[in-house]
Amino acid sequence: MREAVIESLDHEGRGVSHVDGKTIFIEGALPGERVSFASYKVKPNYEQAEAVRVLEASSQRVVPACEYFGVCGGCSMQHLEPSAQVAAKQRVLENALWHIGRLRAEVLYPAIVGPAWGYRYRARLSVRQVPSKGGILIGFHERRSSYISDMRRCPILPPHVSALLPALHDLVAGMSIPDRIPQIEVAVGEGITVLVFRHLLPLTKKDEALLRAFGEAAGVQVWLQLTGPDSCRRLHPADAPGLAYTLPEFGVAMAFRPTDFTQVNMGINRLLMRRSMQLLDPQPGERIADLFCGLGNFSLPIAKLGAHVVGVEGSDALVRRAAENAAANGLAATSEFHAANLFEATEDSIDALGSLDKMLIDPPREGAIAVVKALGPTAPWRIVYVSCNPATLARDAAVLFHEKGYRLKGAGIANMFPQTSHVESIALFERD
Protein backbone atom coordinates (compact mmCIF):
# COMPACT_ATOMS: atom_id res chain seq x y z
CA MET A 1 0.00 0.00 0.00
CA ARG A 2 1.45 3.37 -1.01
CA GLU A 3 1.46 6.44 1.21
CA ALA A 4 1.14 10.16 0.45
CA VAL A 5 1.17 13.51 2.24
CA ILE A 6 -1.72 15.70 1.11
CA GLU A 7 -0.79 19.17 -0.15
CA SER A 8 -4.16 20.73 -1.00
CA LEU A 9 -7.76 20.09 -2.08
CA ASP A 10 -8.90 20.18 -5.69
CA HIS A 11 -12.19 21.58 -7.00
CA GLU A 12 -13.96 18.28 -6.27
CA GLY A 13 -12.83 18.16 -2.64
CA ARG A 14 -10.17 15.49 -3.25
CA GLY A 15 -6.78 15.59 -1.59
CA VAL A 16 -3.92 16.38 -3.97
CA SER A 17 -0.47 14.86 -3.59
CA HIS A 18 2.55 14.09 -5.74
CA VAL A 19 4.15 10.65 -5.63
CA ASP A 20 7.02 9.59 -7.90
CA GLY A 21 6.44 12.61 -10.12
CA LYS A 22 2.73 11.95 -10.64
CA THR A 23 -0.22 13.93 -9.35
CA ILE A 24 -2.50 11.80 -7.19
CA PHE A 25 -6.11 12.87 -6.46
CA ILE A 26 -7.21 11.07 -3.29
CA GLU A 27 -10.84 10.98 -2.17
CA GLY A 28 -11.36 11.25 1.58
CA ALA A 29 -7.98 12.87 2.32
CA LEU A 30 -7.38 16.38 3.72
CA PRO A 31 -4.46 18.81 3.46
CA GLY A 32 -1.63 18.06 5.86
CA GLU A 33 -2.64 14.43 6.31
CA ARG A 34 -0.52 11.37 5.66
CA VAL A 35 -2.63 8.59 4.22
CA SER A 36 -2.32 5.21 2.62
CA PHE A 37 -4.25 5.04 -0.64
CA ALA A 38 -5.43 2.71 -3.37
CA SER A 39 -5.74 3.94 -6.97
CA TYR A 40 -8.79 3.11 -9.07
CA LYS A 41 -7.74 5.01 -12.22
CA VAL A 42 -4.13 5.17 -13.42
CA LYS A 43 -3.09 7.47 -16.25
CA PRO A 44 0.42 8.41 -17.45
CA ASN A 45 0.40 11.79 -15.69
CA TYR A 46 -2.05 11.32 -12.82
CA GLU A 47 -3.96 8.83 -10.73
CA GLN A 48 -7.34 8.90 -9.03
CA ALA A 49 -7.44 7.11 -5.69
CA GLU A 50 -9.21 6.82 -2.39
CA ALA A 51 -7.79 6.98 1.09
CA VAL A 52 -7.63 3.55 2.70
CA ARG A 53 -6.29 4.67 6.05
CA VAL A 54 -5.52 8.03 7.64
CA LEU A 55 -2.09 7.68 9.25
CA GLU A 56 -1.79 11.28 10.47
CA ALA A 57 -5.09 13.18 10.68
CA SER A 58 -5.74 16.88 10.10
CA SER A 59 -6.98 18.95 13.02
CA GLN A 60 -9.83 20.00 10.69
CA ARG A 61 -11.07 16.42 10.20
CA VAL A 62 -14.47 15.72 11.78
CA VAL A 63 -16.67 12.64 12.06
CA PRO A 64 -19.23 12.73 9.21
CA ALA A 65 -22.79 13.26 10.44
CA CYS A 66 -24.28 10.87 7.88
CA GLU A 67 -23.82 7.10 7.96
CA TYR A 68 -23.98 7.01 4.16
CA PHE A 69 -20.97 9.29 3.71
CA GLY A 70 -18.34 7.63 1.56
CA VAL A 71 -20.94 5.54 -0.27
CA CYS A 72 -23.52 8.14 -1.28
CA GLY A 73 -22.32 10.51 -3.97
CA GLY A 74 -24.41 13.42 -2.69
CA CYS A 75 -21.75 14.82 -0.35
CA SER A 76 -17.96 14.69 -0.57
CA MET A 77 -16.76 17.00 2.22
CA GLN A 78 -18.53 15.93 5.42
CA HIS A 79 -15.18 14.87 6.90
CA LEU A 80 -13.96 18.50 6.80
CA GLU A 81 -14.98 21.04 9.44
CA PRO A 82 -17.62 23.41 7.93
CA SER A 83 -15.61 26.65 8.16
CA ALA A 84 -12.66 24.87 6.55
CA GLN A 85 -14.97 23.78 3.71
CA VAL A 86 -15.75 27.43 3.07
CA ALA A 87 -12.07 28.40 3.06
CA ALA A 88 -11.31 25.56 0.63
CA LYS A 89 -14.03 26.76 -1.74
CA GLN A 90 -12.70 30.31 -1.64
CA ARG A 91 -9.30 28.94 -2.69
CA VAL A 92 -10.94 26.99 -5.54
CA LEU A 93 -12.40 30.26 -6.83
CA GLU A 94 -9.12 32.16 -6.48
CA ASN A 95 -7.17 29.35 -8.17
CA ALA A 96 -9.62 29.16 -11.07
CA LEU A 97 -9.46 32.92 -11.65
CA TRP A 98 -5.66 32.85 -11.70
CA HIS A 99 -4.88 29.57 -13.48
CA ILE A 100 -7.68 29.82 -16.06
CA GLY A 101 -8.27 33.56 -16.35
CA ARG A 102 -4.86 34.94 -15.39
CA LEU A 103 -6.44 37.57 -13.16
CA ARG A 104 -7.05 38.27 -9.51
CA ALA A 105 -9.94 40.10 -7.86
CA GLU A 106 -9.09 43.49 -6.40
CA VAL A 107 -11.17 42.58 -3.33
CA LEU A 108 -12.16 39.18 -1.94
CA TYR A 109 -15.65 39.38 -0.47
CA PRO A 110 -16.47 37.66 2.82
CA ALA A 111 -18.02 34.26 2.15
CA ILE A 112 -21.83 34.02 2.30
CA VAL A 113 -22.63 31.21 4.72
CA GLY A 114 -25.65 29.66 6.43
CA PRO A 115 -26.68 26.43 8.18
CA ALA A 116 -24.52 23.43 7.31
CA TRP A 117 -27.43 20.94 7.46
CA GLY A 118 -31.09 20.72 6.48
CA TYR A 119 -30.69 23.30 3.72
CA ARG A 120 -31.60 21.39 0.57
CA TYR A 121 -35.08 22.54 -0.45
CA ARG A 122 -34.80 20.96 -3.90
CA ALA A 123 -33.73 17.37 -4.50
CA ARG A 124 -34.21 14.58 -7.00
CA LEU A 125 -34.28 11.18 -5.32
CA SER A 126 -33.66 8.14 -7.51
CA VAL A 127 -35.81 5.05 -7.02
CA ARG A 128 -34.92 1.47 -8.01
CA GLN A 129 -36.46 -1.91 -7.36
CA VAL A 130 -33.61 -4.32 -6.58
CA PRO A 131 -34.94 -7.57 -5.05
CA SER A 132 -31.41 -8.81 -4.25
CA LYS A 133 -30.89 -5.74 -2.03
CA GLY A 134 -34.17 -5.97 -0.17
CA GLY A 135 -36.61 -4.42 -2.63
CA ILE A 136 -37.03 -0.65 -3.07
CA LEU A 137 -33.97 1.60 -2.92
CA ILE A 138 -34.43 5.37 -2.59
CA GLY A 139 -31.61 7.89 -2.46
CA PHE A 140 -28.84 9.58 -4.42
CA HIS A 141 -26.42 7.77 -6.70
CA GLU A 142 -23.42 6.13 -5.11
CA ARG A 143 -20.00 7.63 -5.76
CA ARG A 144 -18.62 6.73 -9.20
CA SER A 145 -21.59 4.43 -9.79
CA SER A 146 -25.05 4.20 -11.30
CA TYR A 147 -26.20 2.26 -8.23
CA ILE A 148 -28.50 3.90 -5.70
CA SER A 149 -27.38 4.57 -2.15
CA ASP A 150 -30.39 3.34 -0.17
CA MET A 151 -31.09 6.03 2.43
CA ARG A 152 -33.39 6.02 5.44
CA ARG A 153 -32.43 9.58 6.33
CA CYS A 154 -30.50 12.46 4.78
CA PRO A 155 -29.23 15.30 7.01
CA ILE A 156 -28.87 17.81 4.18
CA LEU A 157 -32.62 17.56 3.44
CA PRO A 158 -35.02 19.53 5.65
CA PRO A 159 -35.70 17.34 8.72
CA HIS A 160 -39.38 16.87 7.87
CA VAL A 161 -38.44 15.59 4.39
CA SER A 162 -35.68 13.33 5.68
CA ALA A 163 -38.17 11.80 8.12
CA LEU A 164 -40.37 10.70 5.19
CA LEU A 165 -37.76 8.41 3.62
CA PRO A 166 -38.69 5.16 5.46
CA ALA A 167 -42.38 5.63 4.64
CA LEU A 168 -41.54 6.37 1.00
CA HIS A 169 -39.88 2.95 0.73
CA ASP A 170 -43.06 1.28 1.96
CA LEU A 171 -45.26 3.43 -0.26
CA VAL A 172 -43.45 2.61 -3.51
CA ALA A 173 -43.18 -1.08 -2.57
CA GLY A 174 -46.97 -1.24 -2.22
CA MET A 175 -47.71 0.23 -5.66
CA SER A 176 -48.55 -1.74 -8.80
CA ILE A 177 -45.48 -0.59 -10.78
CA PRO A 178 -42.65 -0.16 -8.25
CA ASP A 179 -40.10 -0.88 -11.00
CA ARG A 180 -41.49 1.95 -13.19
CA ILE A 181 -41.15 4.84 -10.73
CA PRO A 182 -37.60 6.10 -11.36
CA GLN A 183 -37.64 9.38 -9.42
CA ILE A 184 -39.25 11.34 -6.62
CA GLU A 185 -38.60 15.06 -6.87
CA VAL A 186 -38.71 17.18 -3.71
CA ALA A 187 -39.70 20.86 -3.82
CA VAL A 188 -40.13 22.87 -0.63
CA GLY A 189 -41.58 26.38 -0.57
CA GLU A 190 -43.02 28.65 2.12
CA GLY A 191 -44.95 26.22 4.32
CA ILE A 192 -45.55 23.79 1.46
CA THR A 193 -43.76 20.58 0.54
CA VAL A 194 -44.37 18.89 -2.81
CA LEU A 195 -43.30 15.39 -3.83
CA VAL A 196 -43.43 14.71 -7.57
CA PHE A 197 -43.63 11.02 -8.44
CA ARG A 198 -42.25 10.33 -11.93
CA HIS A 199 -43.96 7.23 -13.34
CA LEU A 200 -43.27 5.59 -16.69
CA LEU A 201 -46.62 3.77 -16.91
CA PRO A 202 -50.13 4.91 -15.89
CA LEU A 203 -51.03 4.38 -12.24
CA THR A 204 -54.00 2.37 -11.05
CA LYS A 205 -56.82 3.79 -8.94
CA LYS A 206 -55.37 1.87 -6.00
CA ASP A 207 -51.95 3.49 -6.58
CA GLU A 208 -53.53 6.93 -6.57
CA ALA A 209 -55.43 6.10 -3.39
CA LEU A 210 -52.17 5.04 -1.71
CA LEU A 211 -50.51 8.29 -2.79
CA ARG A 212 -53.42 10.39 -1.52
CA ALA A 213 -53.35 8.62 1.84
CA PHE A 214 -49.59 9.17 2.07
CA GLY A 215 -49.92 12.85 1.24
CA GLU A 216 -52.67 13.29 3.81
CA ALA A 217 -50.70 11.53 6.56
CA ALA A 218 -47.41 13.29 5.75
CA GLY A 219 -48.88 16.74 5.20
CA VAL A 220 -47.38 17.09 1.72
CA GLN A 221 -48.74 17.74 -1.73
CA VAL A 222 -48.44 14.80 -4.11
CA TRP A 223 -47.91 15.50 -7.80
CA LEU A 224 -47.55 13.09 -10.72
CA GLN A 225 -45.39 13.31 -13.83
CA LEU A 226 -45.91 10.79 -16.61
CA THR A 227 -43.78 12.32 -19.38
CA GLY A 228 -42.07 15.73 -19.58
CA PRO A 229 -42.27 18.63 -17.09
CA ASP A 230 -45.45 19.94 -18.74
CA SER A 231 -47.25 16.73 -17.77
CA CYS A 232 -46.71 17.43 -14.07
CA ARG A 233 -50.06 17.67 -12.27
CA ARG A 234 -51.30 17.80 -8.69
CA LEU A 235 -52.97 14.63 -7.40
CA HIS A 236 -53.53 15.58 -3.75
CA PRO A 237 -54.99 17.74 -2.42
CA ALA A 238 -57.20 18.59 -5.37
CA ASP A 239 -57.33 22.28 -4.44
CA ALA A 240 -54.31 23.74 -2.64
CA PRO A 241 -52.05 26.79 -2.76
CA GLY A 242 -49.10 26.70 -5.13
CA LEU A 243 -45.42 26.73 -4.24
CA ALA A 244 -43.73 30.06 -3.58
CA TYR A 245 -40.72 31.49 -1.82
CA THR A 246 -40.21 34.99 -0.52
CA LEU A 247 -37.42 37.54 -0.49
CA PRO A 248 -38.53 39.51 2.59
CA GLU A 249 -35.78 42.11 2.32
CA PHE A 250 -37.21 43.20 -1.04
CA GLY A 251 -40.87 42.50 -0.31
CA VAL A 252 -41.41 40.09 -3.20
CA ALA A 253 -42.79 36.56 -3.50
CA MET A 254 -41.92 34.09 -6.28
CA ALA A 255 -44.48 31.52 -7.37
CA PHE A 256 -43.05 28.42 -9.03
CA ARG A 257 -44.03 24.97 -10.22
CA PRO A 258 -42.40 21.88 -8.68
CA THR A 259 -40.41 21.23 -11.86
CA ASP A 260 -39.18 24.83 -12.30
CA PHE A 261 -35.55 25.63 -11.60
CA THR A 262 -35.12 27.42 -8.28
CA GLN A 263 -32.14 27.74 -5.97
CA VAL A 264 -31.63 24.73 -3.71
CA ASN A 265 -30.73 26.72 -0.59
CA MET A 266 -33.33 29.41 0.14
CA GLY A 267 -31.44 30.89 3.09
CA ILE A 268 -28.29 31.41 1.03
CA ASN A 269 -30.37 32.64 -1.91
CA ARG A 270 -31.69 35.48 0.26
CA LEU A 271 -28.18 36.43 1.40
CA LEU A 272 -26.87 36.16 -2.17
CA MET A 273 -29.69 38.47 -3.26
CA ARG A 274 -28.62 41.04 -0.68
CA ARG A 275 -24.99 40.89 -1.84
CA SER A 276 -25.89 41.05 -5.53
CA MET A 277 -28.19 44.05 -5.08
CA GLN A 278 -25.53 45.84 -3.00
CA LEU A 279 -23.01 45.32 -5.81
CA LEU A 280 -25.41 46.08 -8.67
CA ASP A 281 -26.92 49.07 -6.82
CA PRO A 282 -30.04 49.50 -9.01
CA GLN A 283 -31.25 53.11 -9.20
CA PRO A 284 -34.49 54.68 -10.44
CA GLY A 285 -34.16 55.60 -14.10
CA GLU A 286 -31.61 52.89 -14.91
CA ARG A 287 -32.21 50.07 -17.40
CA ILE A 288 -30.66 46.83 -16.19
CA ALA A 289 -30.48 43.50 -18.01
CA ASP A 290 -30.96 40.26 -16.09
CA LEU A 291 -29.61 37.51 -18.34
CA PHE A 292 -30.60 33.88 -17.69
CA CYS A 293 -33.33 35.41 -15.52
CA GLY A 294 -35.33 32.23 -14.86
CA LEU A 295 -38.58 32.99 -13.07
CA GLY A 296 -37.36 36.40 -11.92
CA ASN A 297 -35.20 35.61 -8.88
CA PHE A 298 -32.96 38.65 -9.47
CA SER A 299 -35.29 40.58 -11.78
CA LEU A 300 -37.95 41.38 -9.21
CA PRO A 301 -35.57 42.83 -6.58
CA ILE A 302 -33.98 44.97 -9.33
CA ALA A 303 -37.40 46.32 -10.30
CA LYS A 304 -38.41 46.71 -6.65
CA LEU A 305 -35.39 48.98 -6.12
CA GLY A 306 -36.67 51.29 -8.86
CA ALA A 307 -34.78 50.34 -12.00
CA HIS A 308 -36.38 49.05 -15.20
CA VAL A 309 -35.35 45.41 -15.64
CA VAL A 310 -35.03 43.57 -18.96
CA GLY A 311 -35.06 39.84 -18.26
CA VAL A 312 -33.89 37.32 -20.86
CA GLU A 313 -34.25 33.56 -20.52
CA GLY A 314 -34.12 30.60 -22.91
CA SER A 315 -37.22 28.85 -21.55
CA ASP A 316 -40.58 30.17 -22.75
CA ALA A 317 -42.27 28.69 -19.67
CA LEU A 318 -39.92 30.50 -17.29
CA VAL A 319 -40.32 33.75 -19.19
CA ARG A 320 -44.09 33.47 -18.69
CA ARG A 321 -43.55 32.67 -15.01
CA ALA A 322 -41.27 35.69 -14.58
CA ALA A 323 -43.83 38.00 -16.17
CA GLU A 324 -46.59 36.53 -13.98
CA ASN A 325 -44.45 36.99 -10.87
CA ALA A 326 -43.69 40.59 -11.81
CA ALA A 327 -47.40 41.32 -12.30
CA ALA A 328 -48.35 39.59 -9.03
CA ASN A 329 -45.83 41.79 -7.19
CA GLY A 330 -47.03 45.00 -8.86
CA LEU A 331 -43.87 45.33 -10.96
CA ALA A 332 -45.22 44.83 -14.49
CA ALA A 333 -44.64 48.48 -15.42
CA THR A 334 -40.93 48.36 -14.59
CA SER A 335 -40.09 44.95 -16.05
CA GLU A 336 -40.07 43.18 -19.39
CA PHE A 337 -39.13 39.60 -20.23
CA HIS A 338 -37.98 38.02 -23.46
CA ALA A 339 -37.23 34.45 -24.58
CA ALA A 340 -33.90 34.07 -26.36
CA ASN A 341 -31.06 31.57 -26.63
CA LEU A 342 -28.25 33.38 -24.84
CA PHE A 343 -25.76 30.68 -25.82
CA GLU A 344 -26.07 32.14 -29.33
CA ALA A 345 -25.91 35.80 -28.28
CA THR A 346 -24.40 38.30 -30.72
CA GLU A 347 -23.54 41.96 -30.46
CA ASP A 348 -26.70 42.72 -32.45
CA SER A 349 -28.92 40.64 -30.15
CA ILE A 350 -27.49 42.33 -27.05
CA ASP A 351 -27.85 45.78 -28.65
CA ALA A 352 -31.49 44.90 -29.47
CA LEU A 353 -32.23 44.93 -25.72
CA GLY A 354 -31.80 48.71 -25.83
CA SER A 355 -29.54 51.02 -23.88
CA LEU A 356 -28.38 49.31 -20.69
CA ASP A 357 -26.72 50.87 -17.68
CA LYS A 358 -25.87 47.65 -15.85
CA MET A 359 -26.17 43.91 -16.27
CA LEU A 360 -26.59 40.85 -14.07
CA ILE A 361 -25.61 37.44 -15.47
CA ASP A 362 -26.60 34.19 -13.75
CA PRO A 363 -25.88 31.39 -16.23
CA PRO A 364 -25.94 27.60 -15.80
CA ARG A 365 -22.69 25.66 -15.44
CA GLU A 366 -21.81 26.23 -19.09
CA GLY A 367 -21.25 29.92 -18.36
CA ALA A 368 -21.96 32.89 -20.61
CA ILE A 369 -19.11 32.96 -23.11
CA ALA A 370 -21.30 34.04 -26.05
CA VAL A 371 -22.73 36.91 -24.00
CA VAL A 372 -19.39 38.30 -22.84
CA LYS A 373 -17.89 38.02 -26.33
CA ALA A 374 -20.92 39.88 -27.70
CA LEU A 375 -20.44 42.94 -25.46
CA GLY A 376 -19.57 45.92 -27.61
CA PRO A 377 -18.55 49.55 -27.07
CA THR A 378 -21.98 50.51 -25.67
CA ALA A 379 -22.11 47.60 -23.20
CA PRO A 380 -23.05 48.32 -19.55
CA TRP A 381 -20.31 49.78 -17.40
CA ARG A 382 -21.10 47.48 -14.46
CA ILE A 383 -21.71 43.71 -14.53
CA VAL A 384 -22.54 41.42 -11.62
CA TYR A 385 -21.85 37.80 -12.53
CA VAL A 386 -23.34 35.01 -10.37
CA SER A 387 -21.76 31.66 -11.14
CA CYS A 388 -22.23 28.00 -10.21
CA ASN A 389 -18.97 26.93 -11.89
CA PRO A 390 -15.65 28.67 -11.05
CA ALA A 391 -14.03 27.32 -14.23
CA THR A 392 -16.50 28.95 -16.63
CA LEU A 393 -16.61 32.11 -14.52
CA ALA A 394 -12.82 32.33 -14.82
CA ARG A 395 -12.97 31.72 -18.58
CA ASP A 396 -15.60 34.42 -19.06
CA ALA A 397 -13.79 36.79 -16.67
CA ALA A 398 -10.68 36.47 -18.83
CA VAL A 399 -12.65 37.77 -21.84
CA LEU A 400 -14.13 40.64 -19.83
CA PHE A 401 -10.75 41.59 -18.35
CA HIS A 402 -8.29 40.99 -21.18
CA GLU A 403 -10.49 41.77 -24.20
CA LYS A 404 -13.37 44.01 -23.08
CA GLY A 405 -11.60 46.37 -20.70
CA TYR A 406 -13.41 45.47 -17.48
CA ARG A 407 -11.72 45.34 -14.09
CA LEU A 408 -12.52 42.52 -11.68
CA LYS A 409 -13.45 44.70 -8.74
CA GLY A 410 -14.30 41.85 -6.38
CA ALA A 411 -15.26 38.19 -6.07
CA GLY A 412 -16.32 35.76 -3.37
CA ILE A 413 -18.19 32.55 -2.74
CA ALA A 414 -21.65 31.69 -1.46
CA ASN A 415 -21.80 28.32 0.29
CA MET A 416 -24.98 27.24 -1.46
CA PHE A 417 -24.20 23.51 -1.05
CA PRO A 418 -22.54 22.79 2.34
CA GLN A 419 -20.91 19.35 2.70
CA THR A 420 -20.35 19.20 -1.08
CA SER A 421 -17.55 20.52 -3.28
CA HIS A 422 -19.97 22.64 -5.33
CA VAL A 423 -18.88 26.31 -5.45
CA GLU A 424 -21.32 29.17 -6.03
CA SER A 425 -19.70 32.57 -6.49
CA ILE A 426 -20.35 36.19 -7.31
CA ALA A 427 -18.09 38.68 -9.09
CA LEU A 428 -18.25 42.40 -9.88
CA PHE A 429 -16.85 43.84 -13.13
CA GLU A 430 -16.62 47.53 -14.02
CA ARG A 431 -15.12 49.56 -16.85
CA ASP A 432 -14.74 53.27 -17.55
Side-chain angles (χ1 to χ4, degrees):
M1 190 72 66
R2 291 186 294 167
E3 296 182 6
V5 175
I6 308 305
E7 302 156 15
S8 61
L9 289 179
D10 76 348
H11 68 284
E12 295 183 15
R14 300 174 298 187
V16 181
S17 185
H18 292 84
V19 178
D20 299 328
K22 290 177 72 172
T23 303
I24 316 291
F25 300 98
I26 306 176
E27 295 177 6
L30 299 176
E33 293 187 332
R34 187 167 64 90
V35 303
S36 61
F37 66 92
S39 295
Y40 58 84
K41 178 181 281 189
V42 178
K43 296 290 184 179
N45 297 322
Y46 72 93
E47 296 180 23
Q48 294 178 4
E50 57 185 348
V52 174
R53 200 171 155 211
V54 178
L55 305 173
E56 295 177 13
S58 166
S59 61
Q60 296 176 325
R61 177 176 285 275
V62 296
V63 177
C66 178
E67 61 265 40
Y68 306 107
F69 177 74
V71 177
C72 175
C75 297
S76 61
M77 298 181 78
Q78 283 191 29
H79 59 311
L80 181 59
E81 191 273 326
S83 64
Q85 293 182 29
V86 172
K89 293 179 183 185
Q90 187 81 40
R91 284 192 294 274
V92 166
L93 174 60
E94 294 177 62
N95 289 339
L97 288 171
W98 178 246
H99 292 298
I100 298 172
R102 288 298 176 208
L103 74 165
R104 291 190 172 95
E106 295 177 18
V107 175
L108 287 175
Y109 301 132
I112 299 171
V113 297
W117 304 101
Y119 66 83
R120 189 166 186 132
Y121 280 35
R122 298 301 303 259
R124 185 169 292 159
L125 301 171
S126 294
V127 183
R128 296 286 187 278
Q129 185 183 42
V130 185
S132 63
K133 291 190 174 182
I136 299 300
L137 311 182
I138 297 178
F140 299 118
H141 285 281
E142 294 182 357
R143 286 189 309 156
R144 308 191 308 274
S145 172
S146 61
Y147 293 124
I148 302 302
S149 177
D150 190 33
M151 305 184 326
R152 303 291 162 154
R153 73 180 194 100
C154 177
I156 64 170
L157 292 176
H160 74 281
V161 176
S162 176
L164 295 177
L165 289 173
L168 282 172
H169 284 77
D170 296 337
L171 171 66
V172 175
M175 296 175 69
S176 67
I177 51 168
D179 59 334
R180 308 302 287 167
I181 300 175
Q183 288 177 347
I184 302 172
E185 192 152 353
V186 179
V188 180
E190 300 279 344
I192 296 173
T193 299
V194 170
L195 300 182
V196 180
F197 289 79
R198 177 89 167 86
H199 55 106
L200 304 180
L201 293 173
L203 300 178
T204 66
K205 295 296 184 184
K206 180 184 175 184
D207 291 334
E208 293 190 358
L210 287 171
L211 288 164
R212 287 191 184 94
F214 176 86
E216 187 70 31
V220 301
Q221 291 187 21
V222 174
W223 290 54
L224 303 177
Q225 183 183 337
L226 179 58
T227 54
D230 290 343
S231 73
C232 191
R233 64 181 179 88
R234 185 193 290 114
L235 174 70
H236 176 84
D239 184 23
L243 284 163
Y245 67 89
T246 61
L247 298 171
E249 190 167 339
F250 303 97
V252 296
M254 305 281 183
F256 64 98
R257 283 175 57 82
T259 52
D260 287 345
F261 172 81
T262 57
Q263 293 290 3
V264 160
N265 189 326
M266 286 303 155
I268 293 297
N269 185 54
R270 289 172 174 172
L271 296 174
L272 182 62
M273 199 63 54
R274 176 187 297 170
R275 173 75 55 83
S276 63
M277 292 304 113
Q278 288 172 342
L279 297 177
L280 194 63
D281 191 24
Q283 297 294 320
E286 290 180 337
R287 294 185 85 250
I288 299 178
D290 177 13
L291 304 187
F292 306 94
C293 69
L295 49 78
N297 190 44
F298 291 94
S299 303
L300 270 59
I302 291 171
K304 193 74 173 182
L305 291 171
H308 183 91
V309 66
V310 182
V312 184
E313 165 61 46
S315 162
D316 289 319
L318 286 178
V319 167
R320 288 194 301 272
R321 208 93 69 239
E324 291 166 359
N325 278 328
N329 285 273
L331 299 170
T334 53
S335 60
E336 57 183 274
F337 298 94
H338 307 279
N341 183 356
L342 289 166
F343 297 111
E344 297 177 358
T346 63
E347 189 170 335
D348 286 343
S349 70
I350 297 297
D351 286 345
L353 299 177
S355 176
L356 297 170
D357 298 287
K358 298 169 184 173
M359 179 179 287
L360 187 140
I361 308 175
D362 180 22
R365 291 188 62 79
E366 296 89 338
I369 191 65
V371 169
V372 298
K373 285 184 174 180
L375 297 177
T378 60
W381 67 277
R382 175 178 289 176
I383 297 173
V384 172
Y385 191 133
V386 178
S387 167
C388 59
N389 184 346
T392 52
L393 169 62
R395 177 203 64 194
D396 297 350
V399 174
L400 291 170
F401 183 84
H402 298 294
E403 300 177 26
K404 303 296 182 177
Y406 286 87
R407 296 165 61 191
L408 178 53
K409 299 288 288 182
I413 70 143
N415 198 20
M416 186 74 75
F417 295 84
Q419 316 304 334
T420 80
S421 59
H422 182 95
V423 180
E424 191 92 4
S425 53
I426 185 167
L428 173 64
F429 299 88
E430 289 182 358
R431 73 177 182 186
D432 298 329

